[in-house]
Each structure stands twice: as C-alpha cells, then as structure tokens.
Amino acid sequence: TVLPIIPDLLMIPSDQGDGDLEMECPEERGNWTGKLDFLLSCIGYCVGLGNVWRFPYRAYTNGGGAFLVPYFIMLAICGIPIFFMELSLGQFSSLGPLAVWKISPLFKGVGMGTILIVSLVAIYYNMIIAYVLFYLFASLTSNLPWEHCGNWWNTDLCLDHQVIKAGNAAIPFNVTNTVSPSEEYWNRYVLHIQGSSGIGDPGRIRWNLCLCLLLSWVIVYLCILKGVKSSGKVVYFTATFPYFILIMLLIRGVTLEGAWIGIKFYLTPQFDHLLSSKVWIEAALQIFYSLGVGFGGLLTFASYNTFHQNIYRDTFIVTLGNAITSILAGFAIFSVLGYMSQELGIPVNQVAKAGPGLAFVVYPQAMTMLPLSPLWSFLFFFMLLTLGLDSQFAFMETIVTAVTDEFPYYLRPKKAFFSAIICIAMYLMGLILTTEGGMYWLVLLDDYSAGFGLMVVVITTCLVVTRVYGMKRFCRDIHMMLGFQPGLYFKACWMFLSPAMMMALLVYNIVKYQPSEYGSYRFPYWAEVLGILMGLFSCLMIPTGMVVAVLREEGTLWERIQQASRPAMNWGPSLEENRTGTYVATLAGSQSPKPLMVHMRKYGGITSYENTAIEVDKEIEEEEESMM
C-alpha cells in the first residue's frame, strides 16, 4: 500500500525521524552544562587584558580617584542597561547575533557588521596572546633575558637599572636619551622592528612569533571544539585563576618599598578633572570596551541559557565584578610602578604606560628588580594568558554560532569542522602580524576595527529594539522570560540615556580623531584611509542589509519596508513550551493556523484553516497598531 504523503508543515517533529526540523531543535544546538558555566564565561569575557593595561592608566590620567565618579555613573547609564538588553535578546530567542535579527529583518546588516568587527578583533587579539606566550616561555629561565644590556639586540643607548642605582651616589647619569633593556628586548628582539621601515614594508616573518601564534590558535580551537560544552568547562579555570594571581601580585606589590608612591599617584583625586567632558567620555569608553557590549559575545552566551535563567541578577554580578577587578588591577600595577619609580629615582608618570607598553616593557622591567624575578614574571604572563584566552573564546564562539544558526541544517552537525576552518583562515590572515612590521598592522587594527563602527552597531541595536520592535513588546518578552517587567530605570536608559550617551561618544570620537602612531612612527596617509574604511565597512553592512531585506518583500516600497521591519513569523522562544501569548504556535511544524497561513501564501490551498488564520493575523496586527 502507498502511504499518504503528509505535508512537512503538518508533521510533528517525532514524525520526521532525522529530518530537517530536528536539526533546528535547540537540543541539537546545545546548552550550558552547568549553572555556573554562563556566569563564569561572561566574567571571563568581560574581564580581559583591558582591565590590566587600560583602566589603571585611564584612571590616573583622568583625575585619579575622581575618575571613579564618572566611571560608575557611566556604568549605570551605558554599561548595565545595554548589557542586560544583549543578554535578554540572546536568551529570549536562543539565536546568535545574525539570526537574532528575525526581530526585525530590515536590520540584519547590524548582525553582519557585528561579525565583521569581531572577526577583525579576533585576528589581532590572538596575536597579543601569542606575544604573551612568547614571554611566558622566555620567563622559564634562571635569569630573565631582558634583565641586562650586552646582548646582540642591545644598542649603545641601553642602560641597566642596576648601573643607574650604583651610579646614583657617584655621577648622575643623563637618563633622558637612554633605553631600558626590557624596551630593547621587546622592540628589537621580540618584534625585530628594526627590520621594517614602516607599515608598507612588513619585512620577514618572525618564525618564533609565527609558532606562538599557531600555538595560541590551537589552544583556542581545542577549547571551543565542542562549543559551549567545552569552553564552558575551561572557563572554570581561565575565569577564576587570574584572580588568584592578581591577588598574589597585589600582595607582593603592596609589600614593596615605595609601593605607596604609586598607589597615591593612582588614587589621589583631582576633582577639577570632572569639569572636563573628556574625562566623562573616557569613562564611558572604558565601560563600553571592558564590558564588551556590541561584540555579540554576551548575546551568544545568553543564547545557550535555559529560557528562565535569571540574567537580571547575572547582569549586576558581572558588571560590578568587572569594575571591581579593574580597580584591583590598578592597585597591583601601580604598587609595582611606585617601587620602580623609587628604584630608578624618576617620577611615576614617566614610568607608567598603557597598552602593550605596560605589559611587555614596563612590568617585565619591574619584575627584574624583584628577587625570584622569573617566578613573578611567569605568574604575570600566565595571568595575562588566562585573561586573554576567555575573551578570545567568546569572539570565536560568536562567529561560529552566528554562522551555524544561519545555516543550521548544514553546519550544526559539522560544527567542529567548521570551527577548524575559521581558526585556520584567521591564523593565515594573522600572519602579517608576525612579520617585522607586524606591530604597525596590529596598532592599525586596534585603533580602527572596533572604533566608531562598534558604536554605530550598538546605537542602531538600541534604537531598533526600543523604537521599531517597540519598548512595550520588549518588556513583555522579558516579563515572559523572567516573570517581572524591567523597572523605570531600564526603560529610561534604553529609550533615552544610553542612545544619547552613545551618540555623544560617537561625535566625540569623530571630532577628536587623531591619526594612529606607534612610538615616534607616524602612519602614512594610505594606512589612515585603510583604517577608516575598516570602520566604515562594518557601518555599510547596515544599509546593505536593508536593501537585501526590502528586495525580498513584495508590494510598494513603503509596504516592503513595513513588512521587513516587522518580526519574522518564527520570531520568539525556540521551544514550543515557552511560547505564550502572541508567540503561541508560530513555530514551523506546530499544529496551528499561523504557519499554515504562511504555507497558503506561498503554495495556496488548505482553505479550511483560512478563516482562523486570518483572525490570528488580525489580532496580532491590531496589537501592533495599538503599540505604534
């Protein structure tokens, strides 16, 4: 006998055996295996290298202790609300940063912009991890290689701190034109920057850096191999261990002679700074980058949560934990810098640096002044390694999840293979960073990849969720998920304060634009243009996505725009049991009128359901009109 053919739409998932629908099931997508996985992953993602090398420097240059006032105000206005919004979007839909734009297909380009930014950041961020690995291996000696002058990479300008100390009593040295052994080790041995005349002349590949970069990609791949199931376990170590080392470094730093000079320098409040708009903007920038909003990592992690996970509580734990870690790192860094300034007899502000200069020049130099210097050096770089890795896991998980959620039938079963291809491609793209002129490319990527493009992405997300999708609807979704509506504070921030602050940041970034530089090297005009194009390209994804979405619809231009800006038919919680209210039975495969209505529009027929389907559509349209 010939069995009757049941249309796909009328089948329940169990009828379909191993069919396509089953691949779309969230079970196939996976969830966190434990309750702490998500929280630790978020902490590991937010607490990164920036907490150690950007925050302490930003604080002391912007009013010391007084900087904490704008820092916490900006955390309340920009950080916490946008953080909570990203987590809510991810957890509600169980989708990555591309597929989540079913919320308003017209703006799918925002997701594409996010992926582009994250990909560029992931390429150079892993190079920084490669430098950390290089120093980690170099610390495994009885004497640190950057302790003294007299090596082949040193020049006549090299001056050892022990020489300065011994000579202090006798003849004063002219320290101004000298270079520390650690600086020459970093520039002339690790980077071998003398082999390149600038960004246009990369020179040869440094094979030791090339192998370190390969190792860092292998580590990252092995940790994200099984998606959140493997990275969720690794973060138990990588997210907690830096705190042990940070506390050890802090205790060691505070017990050093002269530590108080550094701490006083770091914390002495200069309240007159608060009258400057620059300080407020710097505080907002620090919050913005250290919480990692807009990169899609938070959204990706939340998408692997169960539907009713309390992300409201998690938001406050992670954002406040991140702020406290930054302040703590400041004490650890500046206590050592205070000791260093006393040893060298120069003021703290001449010792302090931000960015790679602090991690690879100043702090390693300070380590050489301590007893058991290789041990402290190893611990410091091991801390940087664990801090860097869990941020990198998040970037990679974001890219992989975004693409696999777009093509679940093909890519979800082959996720490990797909991750490998992405890691190999990014390693090959990162090879330019391992050349003698690689540092110039790294600075260019660092300055432009996640600058104004990232702000445009966050502003657009904020405006789409509150204005296009609708504040009332978004709050109702959160209510469905958490059992309560967000309060007035969140609504005011989402509607007005956060977008306004982001706009101010964007304008400030454009007005105060300064060309990139590395030390005394000024980047050529073409490199500046390349950098600006990098930032613009992620912004251009938004109008490109709009054009594609409009072309896919039917009707007049205005009708197409309206249809494309409405949530897709299958927008909502991924599991049928969580779909209530408007979302009841709008999933493919459910026994309900709405998907049948879609089926009719596409294929015609099944008229017995027509009236019910039209009624359901009418109800939703009326609700939408009352919200407008």
Side-chain angles (χ1 to χ4, degrees), residues 59 61 63 77 79 119 163 239 247 254 311 333 344-345 431 437 451 474 527 531 533 546 554 556 574 581 589:
T61 50
I77 293 175
S119 304
V163 178
I247 289 163
V254 174
I311 44 173
I333 296 293
L344 298 177
L431 284 178
F474 184 54
L533 285 175
M546 284 178 165
E554 290 166 8
T556 64
S574 63

Side-chain angles (χ1 to χ4, degrees), residues 118-126 217 392 395-396 399 426:
V118 174
S119 304
L120 289 171
V121 171
I123 289 169
Y124 83 80
Y125 204 84
N126 226 12
W217 275 115
Q392 185 70 7
F395 296 146
M396 295 310 295
I399 299 164
M426 290 198 156

Side-chain angles (χ1 to χ4, degrees), residues 444 447-449 451-453 510 513-516 525-540:
L444 193 74
D447 284 354
Y448 292 102
S449 60
F452 56 92
I510 294 166
Y513 168 75
Q514 278 183 326
S516 293
Y525 182 69
W526 65 265
E528 291 300 316
V529 173
L530 184 69
I532 293 166
L533 285 175
M534 218 166 7
L536 279 176
F537 198 53
S538 49
C539 300
L540 287 174

Side-chain angles (χ1 to χ4, degrees), residues 15-58:
D15 288 341
Q16 292 198 311
D18 295 321
D20 291 344
L21 273 173
E22 208 142 76
M23 278 185 198
E24 278 239 72
C25 280
E27 286 78 31
E28 193 69 35
R29 192 174 184 272
N31 284 93
W32 297 109
T33 47
K35 284 192 173 178
L36 267 178
D37 295 18
F38 167 69
L39 194 61
L40 287 175
S41 293
C42 282
I43 290 171
Y45 167 57
C46 296
V47 178
L49 298 170
N51 297 63
V52 173
W53 74 33
R54 279 210 177 95
F55 177 83
Y57 187 80
R58 271 210 168 120

Side-chain angles (χ1 to χ4, degrees), residues 401-473:
T401 299
V403 185
T404 47
D405 280 353
E406 274 299 286
F407 308 102
Y409 308 110
Y410 312 108
L411 294 180
R412 238 176 239 169
K414 302 183 183 75
K415 200 170 175 181
F417 178 67
F418 179 61
S419 303
I421 287 175
I422 289 186
C423 288
I424 291 165
M426 290 198 156
Y427 169 65
L428 295 174
M429 284 189 266
L431 284 178
I432 182 86
L433 304 174
T434 64
T435 59
E436 293 167 325
M439 195 61 189
Y440 301 125
W441 286 97
L442 191 136
V443 169
L444 193 74
L445 278 165
D446 187 33
D447 284 354
Y448 292 102
S449 60
F452 56 92
L454 187 66
M455 283 170 204
V456 170
V457 162
V458 175
I459 294 167
T460 314
T461 305
C462 230
L463 295 177
V464 171
V465 172
T466 55
R467 308 293 199 285
V468 181
Y469 183 63
M471 190 62 165
K472 198 172 169 187
R473 220 192 250 175

